[in-house]
Amino acid sequence: MHSKLRLAIVGLGLVGKRHAEAVALVPDVELVAVVDPNESGQDAAIGMGVPCFETIGAMLESVGPDGVILATPTLLHVEQAMTCIEHKCPVLVEKPIGVSALEAHALVQMANNRDIPLLVGHHRRHNPLIRKARQAIDDGLIGDVRAVQGTCWFYKPDHYFDAASWRKREGAGPVSVNLVHDIDLIRYLCGEVSAVQAVAAPSARGFENEDVASALLEFKNGAIGTISVSDSVVAPWSWEFTSRENPNYPPIPESCYLIGGSEGSLSVPDLRVWTHQDRQQDWWTPLSATTLTRDASDPLVNQVAHFRDVILRKAPPLVSGSEGLRTLQVIEAIQVSAQQRVRLEIQDITASALGTYRTVV
């Protein structure tokens, strides 16, 4: 019996290194191995004092960790996660869970059938401010959610793409890489998305993917949403700038989500609740704002601690494989809708593997 829960990380890029830092801060957890075929990853593993393997299979056979964190390119997620599950090893896979909803569905089914914990790295749900926002909505502070606006605008420098050529390829644009986080939070806060209609523009830098896209979201509860993403726009309105979550981004006192309800509205991440005086829903009545208080802690550290508790069967997953799959369905629908310029209704993938969307002309 080991005194600490033993975790391995696959992929020591930007995100993998942040996971390693988080593991080091969680009690009763230790990093015991890394998988990375690149020299930079191997050098980083040496600095951490852990062995580095070139393949995930070799690491699982040699080390036998209690859990694995996958921080690799999306194309590898499903295959690598399945390898972990075959070895009966719980896995936390970075977002998005896979390239397509159908392949991700096969992974989720495999994990469920074998009763192996499968978590998806939508770490923003582990941020205390998101927990506070969800509580405010659940407590009825803004009434019924009727509308939401989301903005995800920033400018990624050229060297970001040069450092990893896969970021220039089809399927690795800001819809898949960045908007997936925002869609997951909007689902978590506002409800399930039932249909989307989207548009996208090709990369102005000549890459294979889009660099700006917008979508109209229809929710099962009757709410309507709009969301826009770009990695080629200079602007302050994104989670990265406004949440103060990652110290690598300069903090800006703005918000990136506006959630409108029948009795008030909520802006996130500044957590300001706007209501009419005396709760009179009347546009002639003055509005006032209250800023909600919340705790502050690193969501990546919280996520590792949660992964520990799930592995030990002390807690159910906050973002299960099924949750990651539902978010991927919305992202995939946005991509297909933008390509075909049609409205798509999102089907329940668990009900049929024949198709996950229905085109509505």
Side-chain angles (χ1 to χ4, degrees):
M1 175 69 69
H2 298 285
S3 59
K4 291 186 176 183
L5 195 77
R6 303 161 70 248
L7 297 182
I9 296 176
V10 183
L12 271 188
L14 290 174
V15 177
K17 289 176 181 176
R18 291 194 67 204
H19 281 300
E21 293 169 356
V23 169
L25 295 174
V26 177
D28 303 324
V29 173
E30 63 178 337
L31 182 66
V32 295
V34 165
V35 177
D36 197 316
N38 299 310
E39 184 176 351
S40 60
Q42 295 167 5
D43 290 342
I46 292 174
M48 296 173 186
V50 297
C52 185
F53 297 81
E54 291 196 2
T55 68
I56 189 170
M59 182 276 294
L60 289 168
E61 292 289 347
S62 176
V63 178
D66 299 310
V68 170
I69 299 175
L70 295 180
T72 51
T74 307
L75 287 169
L76 303 175
H77 286 178
V78 169
E79 179 183 355
Q80 291 179 335
M82 284 183 168
T83 299
C84 292
I85 292 169
E86 287 173 352
H87 285 76
K88 299 181 180 181
C89 183
V91 58
L92 167 61
V93 56
E94 259 302 329
K95 57 77 196 169
I97 187 175
V99 173
S100 74
L102 285 178
E103 71 165 8
H105 180 232
L107 169 60
V108 171
Q109 280 191 317
M110 180 181 182
N112 289 343
N113 291 339
R114 302 193 183 193
D115 193 28
I116 304 298
L118 170 64
L119 285 69
V120 184
H122 288 291
H123 67 274
R124 295 179 187 176
R125 291 203 197 186
H126 295 272
N127 193 313
L129 73 87
I130 291 300
R131 290 200 294 266
K132 192 70 173 184
R134 173 65 182 262
Q135 179 186 344
I137 294 171
D138 289 347
D139 289 346
L141 292 189
I142 64 171
D144 297 328
V145 174
R146 302 294 297 133
V148 57
Q149 295 181 10
T151 306
C152 181
W153 292 350
F154 38 72
Y155 197 98
K156 294 177 180 175
D158 290 342
H159 62 75
Y160 168 88
F161 301 97
D162 294 337
S165 60
W166 65 268
R167 294 170 178 163
K168 302 179 182 181
R169 296 174 187 163
E170 184 177 359
V175 170
S176 175
V177 173
N178 303 106
L179 193 66
V180 64
H181 272 309
D182 302 279
I183 289 295
D184 186 71
L185 282 190
I186 286 173
R187 281 189 53 248
Y188 184 61
L189 295 175
C190 301
E192 292 296 342
V193 177
S194 59
V196 305
Q197 189 161 359
V199 293
S203 167
R205 298 186 235 203
F207 301 157
E208 296 177 7
N209 46 52
E210 79 287 343
D211 70 0
V212 61
S214 292
L216 175 67
L217 310 175
E218 300 174 39
F219 293 82
K220 289 184 178 180
N221 58 18
I224 297 293
T226 55
I227 194 162
S228 178
V229 62
S230 178
D231 60 11
S232 296
V233 167
V234 177
W237 304 292
S238 69
W239 178 265
E240 285 77 8
F241 286 139
T242 61
S243 68
R244 303 175 185 265
E245 182 179 274
N246 187 336
N248 292 325
Y249 297 102
I252 297 175
E254 296 283 344
S255 280
C256 56
Y257 309 137
L258 301 178
I259 303 173
S262 57
E263 298 180 24
S265 291
L266 171 67
S267 54
V268 177
D270 66 0
L271 294 178
R272 301 189 77 188
V273 177
W274 290 87
T275 57
H276 285 294
Q277 291 182 5
D278 300 322
R279 307 290 288 190
Q280 296 183 30
Q281 293 103 303
D282 179 351
W283 67 351
W284 301 113
T285 302
L287 283 162
S288 60
T290 301
T291 301
L292 303 178
T293 58
R294 46 90 179 182
D295 297 329
S297 57
D298 187 334
L300 281 176
V301 174
N302 296 342
Q303 182 177 246
V304 172
H306 176 69
F307 188 30
R308 173 201 63 200
D309 291 344
V310 172
I311 292 172
L312 297 174
R313 306 288 178 164
K314 293 182 178 180
L318 176 63
V319 190
S320 64
S322 297
E323 277 293 284
L325 172 58
R326 293 188 185 98
T327 292
L328 177 59
Q329 277 193 274
V330 179
I331 287 295
E332 192 174 42
I334 289 173
Q335 293 171 318
V336 174
S337 174
Q339 291 170 355
Q340 300 181 1
R341 297 298 177 99
V342 294
R343 175 178 174 270
L344 295 178
E345 291 185 353
I346 300 174
Q347 306 297 301
D348 182 2
I349 194 171
T350 60
S352 170
L354 298 178
T356 60
Y357 317 106
R358 184 166 70 90
T359 302
V360 179
V361 180

